[in-house]
Amino acid sequence: MLKYLFYGINVICFLAFGFDKFKAASGDYKHRTPEKVLLGLSLIGGAPLGVVSMLAFRHKTQKIKFLTLMPTMAVLWLFIYKKYLM
């Protein structure tokens, strides 16, 4: 059960990064996803696909905060997944 919750939060995080990139590219800065939401989704388990989405959409790749926190959280969550959820 927790494994599917982990998958779901990863998909949501991936889509949130994609949505934010779409809004940024279209110039709609009023309705963008706040950085704290993106980082929060990553913190609660979405970091693995969050990193993938950063690379796929080339989004938030210039922000030091994202370049350091996202891979760190991804490694942590992949360890937790392998150790406890598999």
Side-chain angles (χ1 to χ4, degrees):
M1 175 67 180
L2 287 176
K3 178 172 31 174
Y4 299 111
L5 190 59
F6 179 74
Y7 297 157
I9 195 66
N10 270 277
V11 170
I12 290 168
C13 188
F14 183 87
L15 294 173
F17 270 88
F19 178 77
D20 189 48
K21 174 63 177 192
F22 173 76
K23 289 296 184 177
S26 69
D28 185 8
Y29 296 106
K30 187 175 182 181
H31 296 101
R32 292 202 42 202
T33 307
E35 287 185 356
K36 64 182 175 183
V37 171
L38 296 174
L39 289 171
L41 287 170
S42 300
L43 183 64
I44 62 171
L49 277 185
V51 171
V52 171
S53 65
M54 282 177 60
L55 299 173
F57 299 124
R58 289 182 279 155
H59 190 51
K60 300 291 185 191
T61 55
Q62 300 296 314
K63 303 260 183 177
I64 298 298
K65 169 175 28 177
F66 281 86
L67 287 176
T68 56
L69 290 176
M70 293 295 293
T72 305
M73 287 189 286
V75 168
L76 176 66
W77 275 106
L78 290 173
F79 172 78
I80 291 169
Y81 175 78
K82 185 174 181 181
K83 183 97 170 148
Y84 300 106
L85 301 176
M86 271 183 105

